[in-house]
Amino acid sequence: MAKNFHTDNKAFMLYKDWEDIFQALDSNEEIGELVMALFAYAKRGETPKLSGGVKIAFLMMRAAIERDGIAWEEMCAQRSECGKKGGRPKKSDESGNTDEKAEQTAASADNAEEKPQGINDTAEKPKAFSQTKRFSEKAKKADKDIDKDKDTDIDIDKDTDKDKDKDKAIDKEKKKDAGTAKSVVRSFGTHKNIMLTSEQYNELESRCRSVGLSLESYISKLSQWLFTKGRHCTDPYRIISGWLDNDSKRKTAAKPKERQGCDLSWYDDFAMNFDLSKFF
């Protein structure tokens, strides 16, 4: 059944250049009268009685609506004919051959639908599936590489901790050795009967050097005196330290007539009159 644009078409065109026509009318009442006349013609094919500028504008717009309506009816008729013939006709080239590529594509689609799934396991995978699988394998490989890097970092941290522990142990041993060296007792003097630790010896030597005295002189004299008297000194550090203090005070006073420290006669008098019992 043929289509009628008045009753079957649900829309009609309003053109932009019609704005000038609407603005040329004298009042809004005339614009409203023109609009209603357009709807009456487009929807029911009615031509209302108009006058003046409204009538002239309506005749111009009615011609455009009628032209568009006839074109719409012809398009509907062509579609109806194509539907009766089984759809859109196939394209043909200049030689009259039909589009063989379209036929082959349709045949391939039919074969694909008829072929049971699972019979040929070696069938080619879809391209999208292959790309997805390749991307998935790359992602897994990247994750494995990241895990290896993490394991390597952990091993490096463990080695670093071990090195730090070794360094601490070495420092501890060095401090221990230094403390042991300070506490090691050594024998000094001509008869090797003056027992001093390295720390005590270094301290006495530093004090003697600061006042211009000789520590070896003190040690030799005390060693000879002990050997001659046949005695043993348990704390030679305190004896030498006391002698050093006295000689330092004497030297600081700088009296010419005063007997200098370590003089043999003075030393013998001092040793004979000094009570050594508290040191043995």
Side-chain angles (χ1 to χ4, degrees):
M1 183 177 180
K3 296 285 185 179
N4 188 307
F5 75 90
H6 291 293
T7 57
D8 298 325
N9 193 6
K10 296 181 179 180
F12 68 95
M13 295 289 292
L14 283 175
Y15 293 92
K16 293 181 180 180
D17 55 359
W18 289 0
E19 181 182 11
D20 297 334
I21 299 175
F22 281 106
Q23 291 179 350
L25 298 176
D26 295 334
S27 63
N28 292 333
E29 287 77 6
E30 289 184 351
I31 294 175
E33 186 179 2
L34 176 59
V35 171
M36 296 306 297
L38 294 175
F39 274 104
Y41 177 76
K43 188 174 182 180
R44 294 179 294 275
E46 299 176 357
T47 302
K49 293 182 180 180
L50 302 172
S51 61
V54 177
K55 183 176 182 181
I56 296 173
F58 172 75
L59 293 176
M60 294 173 61
M61 296 178 181
R62 184 184 68 176
I65 293 174
E66 185 176 4
R67 182 183 65 248
D68 293 342
I70 293 173
W72 179 81
E73 290 176 354
E74 291 177 353
M75 180 184 66
C76 292
Q78 290 179 358
R79 291 180 177 178
S80 178
E81 290 296 327
C82 290
K84 291 178 181 179
K85 294 180 180 180
R88 183 178 179 180
K90 297 180 181 180
K91 295 181 180 179
S92 59
D93 54 17
E94 295 179 356
S95 61
N97 295 327
T98 58
D99 192 353
E100 296 180 357
K101 185 176 181 180
E103 293 178 355
Q104 293 176 357
T105 303
S108 300
D110 295 339
N111 294 333
E113 293 179 357
E114 294 175 359
K115 185 176 181 179
Q117 297 180 355
I119 294 178
N120 187 4
D121 294 335
T122 60
E124 183 180 358
K125 300 290 184 180
K127 185 176 182 180
F129 175 80
S130 301
Q131 293 178 349
T132 304
K133 183 177 180 181
R134 184 170 67 255
F135 293 153
S136 177
E137 292 176 352
K138 289 183 177 180
K140 290 180 179 179
K141 184 177 180 181
D143 292 338
K144 290 181 179 179
D145 294 338
I146 292 173
D147 293 337
K148 289 181 180 179
D149 293 338
K150 289 182 178 179
D151 294 337
T152 303
D153 293 339
I154 292 173
D155 293 337
I156 292 173
D157 292 337
K158 289 181 178 179
D159 294 337
T160 303
D161 294 336
K162 289 180 180 179
D163 294 337
K164 289 181 179 179
D165 294 337
K166 289 180 179 179
D167 294 339
K168 289 180 180 179
I170 292 172
D171 293 338
K172 188 175 180 181
E173 290 294 332
K174 288 182 179 179
K175 291 179 180 180
K176 184 178 179 181
D177 294 340
T180 303
K182 290 182 180 180
S183 62
V184 172
V185 178
R186 297 168 58 191
S187 59
F188 299 91
T190 306
H191 303 283
K192 302 297 181 181
N193 53 355
I194 306 301
M195 310 303 292
L196 296 171
T197 64
S198 299
E199 185 177 9
Q200 291 173 342
Y201 181 87
N202 293 333
E203 180 186 348
L204 292 173
E205 186 180 27
S206 178
R207 289 169 60 187
C208 290
R209 189 167 50 251
S210 63
V211 294
L213 299 175
S214 174
L215 176 59
E216 296 298 330
S217 177
Y218 286 107
I219 293 176
S220 298
K221 290 178 175 62
L222 181 57
S223 176
Q224 183 63 34
W225 185 85
L226 291 174
F227 179 76
T228 302
K229 300 299 181 181
R231 295 184 179 183
H232 176 71
C233 181
T234 58
D235 194 357
Y237 171 78
R238 291 184 61 185
I239 297 175
I240 296 174
S241 180
W243 292 348
L244 179 58
D245 289 339
N246 291 332
D247 289 345
S248 298
K249 292 177 182 179
R250 291 173 186 274
K251 191 169 184 178
T252 302
K255 294 180 180 180
K257 295 182 179 180
E258 189 173 4
R259 188 163 27 204
Q260 297 298 322
C262 291
D263 182 75
L264 292 178
S265 60
W266 173 85
Y267 177 78
D268 188 58
D269 293 339
F270 177 82
M272 294 301 295
N273 296 322
F274 189 81
D275 185 19
L276 299 174
S277 59
K278 56 183 179 180
F279 298 110
F280 304 117

